Amino acid sequence: MIDFKMTKEGLILLVRDYESLEEVLEQLGVRISQMSGFFAKGDKIMLMIENSEKHAPDMPKIVAAIRNSGLEISQILVGSAVGENVNVSGRMKMVEEGDTKSGTKVVKKNLRSGQALVHPGDVIVVGNVHAGAEIMAGGSIAVFGHVKGILRAGLNEGEQAIIAVLSMQPTLIQIAGHILREVGSYDEPVVAYVKDNRVVIDKVKDVKFG
């Protein structure tokens, strides 16, 4: 289920298609521990998860487990492996920014096409999220800018998470297990949240907090 593949571009940690996230996390710890003599703390590897769209909600937990083992992820690859051959059909460069003391990740720049921001907690972006960029957050997401990419929130926290954006025309929005593909366009601040088992988007001025 968990393999390391050496390619001309570098080392890829391959997570084959799976049914149990718990089993994946357990095997990750075992395989990285077995390779401990090969790695130094902070070494960067590439990550490929087969059937990545299906397993996108698990990404923050998988990335967090790898980081907790002392490794960093440089890129998330899209593709598959047949035997010893790794077929890469797409790639997203991981956005590297430090966390605050509360564990919230704050990014003060635009996320461009081909960039991915993955974090197990809350995410704040001060900038725009361009088409082709993606945020995967275990908690809530706040973007002080315009969004055209993909936003996935509540992947750890669940339906209590929200997405707050100044303006957006996103490709897709997800909160926990609820996905909204036809979002529409909003040119003023909005909040997306789960209500009655679906993602609802309201203008900030219409939302009653508390």
Side-chain angles (χ1 to χ4, degrees):
M1 183 183 298
I2 308 294
D3 289 321
F4 283 99
K5 298 287 186 181
M6 181 58 74
T7 70
K8 62 182 181 181
E9 297 183 51
L11 189 64
I12 297 174
L13 194 161
L14 172 66
V15 180
R16 297 186 184 275
D17 197 9
Y18 61 88
E19 296 300 326
S20 169
L21 174 61
E22 289 69 25
E23 187 176 353
V24 168
L25 297 177
E26 181 180 346
Q27 287 197 20
L28 273 173
V30 171
R31 291 291 286 125
I32 293 176
S33 178
Q34 290 173 343
M35 299 279 287
S36 60
F38 182 80
F39 295 117
K41 185 177 176 60
D43 278 356
K44 292 184 178 182
I45 61 173
M46 293 175 282
L47 172 66
M48 176 186 285
I49 301 178
E50 287 188 328
N51 204 345
S52 57
E53 182 63 27
K54 170 186 173 184
H55 300 303
D58 300 334
M59 193 71 74
K61 290 183 179 179
I62 292 173
V63 169
I66 294 170
R67 286 174 170 165
N68 288 340
S69 297
L71 300 177
E72 293 295 330
I73 300 169
S74 61
Q75 295 184 66
I76 295 174
L77 306 179
V78 177
S80 60
V82 179
E84 294 301 313
N85 297 319
V86 177
N87 301 315
V88 179
S89 59
R91 63 185 67 224
M92 298 193 76
K93 184 177 180 181
M94 288 282 284
V95 175
E96 299 178 9
E97 292 287 336
D99 303 342
T100 65
K101 291 182 179 179
S102 67
T104 299
K105 182 173 286 293
V106 180
V107 175
K108 298 179 181 179
K109 61 184 177 183
N110 296 330
L111 301 188
R112 303 194 180 279
S113 179
Q115 291 186 314
L117 174 56
V118 183
H119 184 62
D122 298 330
V123 169
I124 298 173
V125 174
V126 183
N128 300 318
V129 180
H130 293 269
E134 184 166 354
I135 299 176
M136 304 179 201
S140 296
I141 297 173
V143 180
F144 293 91
H146 185 69
V147 173
K148 285 192 173 181
I150 295 175
L151 304 179
R152 303 182 193 268
L155 302 182
N156 291 338
E157 183 180 314
E159 295 182 359
Q160 299 304 309
I162 66 168
I163 296 173
V165 183
L166 287 187
S167 65
M168 67 177 183
Q169 190 179 359
T171 309
L172 176 150
I173 279 182
Q174 176 175 357
I175 300 178
H178 307 284
I179 296 176
L180 184 60
R181 297 185 185 278
E182 296 183 5
V183 182
S185 179
Y186 298 85
D187 58 3
E188 60 184 296
V190 292
V191 176
Y193 57 96
V194 175
K195 181 179 180 181
D196 298 329
N197 292 316
R198 65 188 184 94
V199 177
V200 175
I201 301 174
D202 283 332
K203 299 174 182 178
V204 169
K205 64 183 180 182
D206 296 331
V207 178
K208 294 180 172 59
F209 294 99

